[in-house]
Amino acid sequence: MVVLESCWWQGAIGVVKDIITQVKMRPSNTISILLALTEACVYGAPTEQCKVPHSLAPPPPAPEPINIRQLPLPPVIANETQGACTTDVNPLGTGCVPAALEERFQGGGFLPDGRHVLAMVTFAGAPAAPDPASIYEGEHIIIIKTTEGDRFTNGDPWKCITCGIPAQNSRGRAPGNGYPQAFRDGKRILAGTNIIDCESDLASDDCTPEKTNVYAIRQSNTADDSGPGGQIRELRIHPDNVHLGFSMATVNDGKFDQYSYLGRLQFNPSPTTGSEPLAPRYDVVNTQTLFSDSQKSVYVDSNNPGQLVINKSAIIIGELRGFNGDGREVTYVGYPHESSNIDVFAADLTTGAVRRLTEHPEYVDPIDISAHDDWMVILDTRFTERQMWLSGLRRIPPITDLVSTSATSSTRNNGNRRFFQPWLLDRYGDRGDYFGQQINAAGSGVPGSGAINDPEWNTRADPRWSPDGTEIVYWQGLTEAPACGGENPLPCYPSTEPGGRNARIMIAEFTSRDPKPPIKDVPTVPDVVPWAMKYVPGAPSPKRIPPPPGNYTLKGKCQGSASVTLIDQSNSGFLETVRVTYNGFSDDGVNVLNGWEEVTSVNPSPTETKIDWYSDLVQTGPDAGTKKSGEEGFHLLIDVWLNDFEANGTLVTTVGGKKYTQPANGT
């Protein structure tokens, strides 16, 4: 009990210090700061940071009724040859889509009226010009009515926004239309690295192709502003509708990495630099790299060079995922708080205060926070047991993650087979035994049935909230070869959708909720993020600097310690092996860890990681369990883009008497 009390007071003192600091920085928003700091310490990481009474956390919300229905899509054709989309298939002459749609489809967000959603589709089989229907060919953005029975004046429940736009209206258009999102003005759409701009409301008849323009988005990446610009990806509109968040990939020391950025969108009607054609475009200016050299999750204590320190308040942004409702925080996939457990976090763009939003051992990535900041929807592999063999043993410090994160995050998929399902969480996120409510839990759950919870229908990024907080839109793709069938031991199931279509878009309605008034304006955030770095076009990307090779001690916050050896096997200048031995290690005073792990990671190519993993861990306490490799160890080669699971050896985690084994190769 003495240990528990000392841990409690250690945490409490830390919270008080943080509260005082943050209130001084933002006295006008004291209540929000108190909540954020309480969440960060109590709810986000309840036993790693502070031992506090669970009564401080609000009780989890009760499950609520959810009605799910499917939105209509254009009719399906059996082949994609020119003219296959006949008037017999679509009498209205407004286009057809192929059955194999998934890799050429993506659900998007709501328009600000909450009655329409966006989607990127690929039309096929259009007749040749000058037939008016010839414009329905290739990748385009459509708007879909969300109210059953509603139609546009063309007779369809959908309307193509980008079909038939004159060439002179899209001279600088960039390829791709992914992650379609609407601006708050109802006249503009972000799609890929383009902004689609109509003179009228997008859903109105006045929004015609002749009145629509497509402008590329360009982030300069050279000192003289030459060239096409940086390869920006995963774009997200900031709620102020002025700023843009995005990520850019890089290679550091032969290894894939990426950094996240925040910049201001500025329309440039007459650019004089960059690649041809010099058409009107949106430039990203005053860009901030959401990174700081001073922010490190694992570092050497400057006052004790033989001791490692873990800082769970560090802002370590991997891939940007979006923003909270009022844009005060950026959401992102961050460095793990617990070994091998990939979570999403939020960081205040002004103060740098960090909240851990999820903590379930499974993998989470896509997230959307409601406009009123009271709910979030995540896509997670939780309760699929996909990752439990690797991350199921809780409370292990994130030390081996210095070399293993690329590999552990890549095992969430198997090629094009996803294991995500949509989950509803309140604003406080995971805590205690609360891990949210599965949104599409109802149904038979039978593989191949086409039910809303059919596990063969993989939920894909990104889910989106309606402006009034009563609906969520998400989309799914059906598992297909080679992720099933053939040499793969998993069977493939035929689609039950119209024409055998392998993609679908769903609306989840929270039927007991009253709609909230739309938020019309969000304050514009400053261009400068105090804790970030100014982005300098042409300058080298920053580097994440791990602790140098050597022998260290990591002290448990409550008792025990870990002996850590960091090794640069080939004198390459970066870590390759982490060896950890735990001796009665405890950060919370109730879970005690003993045993050892050794992980070696090399990169045959920038995106490939080869892992050799040896483990013999035993934990006692409420989260008791083991994590053990076979005598031959566990060996994995995986690519961060392809996610094909191929391993040798075994790595098994046992928690609560249940054994979790790695997936079979190819599954």
Side-chain angles (χ1 to χ4, degrees), residues 551-554 561-565 579-583 585 597:
N551 296 312
Y552 303 96
T553 297
L554 174 69
S561 64
S563 300
V564 181
T565 300
R579 185 181 302 140
V580 190
T581 301
Y582 297 97
N583 299 289
F585 184 95
E597 277 195 299

Side-chain angles (χ1 to χ4, degrees), residues 252-326:
N252 281 329
D253 297 321
K255 184 176 182 178
F256 170 86
D257 201 354
Q258 67 176 330
Y259 294 87
S260 295
Y261 303 83
L262 180 71
R264 176 183 285 264
L265 286 168
Q266 180 174 280
F267 185 66
N268 185 347
S270 303
T272 57
T273 57
S275 298
E276 299 289 341
L278 292 176
R281 70 188 185 215
Y282 278 86
D283 290 328
V284 186
V285 301
N286 301 334
T287 303
Q288 303 282 293
T289 305
L290 301 179
F291 173 85
S292 171
D293 288 328
S294 64
Q295 298 279 333
K296 292 181 172 63
S297 285
V298 183
Y299 62 93
V300 178
D301 187 342
S302 59
N303 297 318
N304 187 349
Q307 187 167 310
L308 287 182
V309 177
I310 296 177
N311 177 16
K312 293 183 178 179
S313 296
I315 309 171
I316 309 297
I317 299 179
E319 188 168 88
L320 183 141
R321 304 311 301 156
F323 303 92
N324 75 319
D326 65 8

Side-chain angles (χ1 to χ4, degrees), residues 546-575:
N551 296 312
Y552 303 96
T553 297
L554 174 69
K555 292 184 177 180
K557 287 185 172 62
C558 293
Q559 68 178 59
S561 64
S563 300
V564 181
T565 300
L566 306 179
I567 304 172
D568 175 6
Q569 299 276 25
S570 58
N571 296 316
S572 58
F574 58 97
L575 296 181

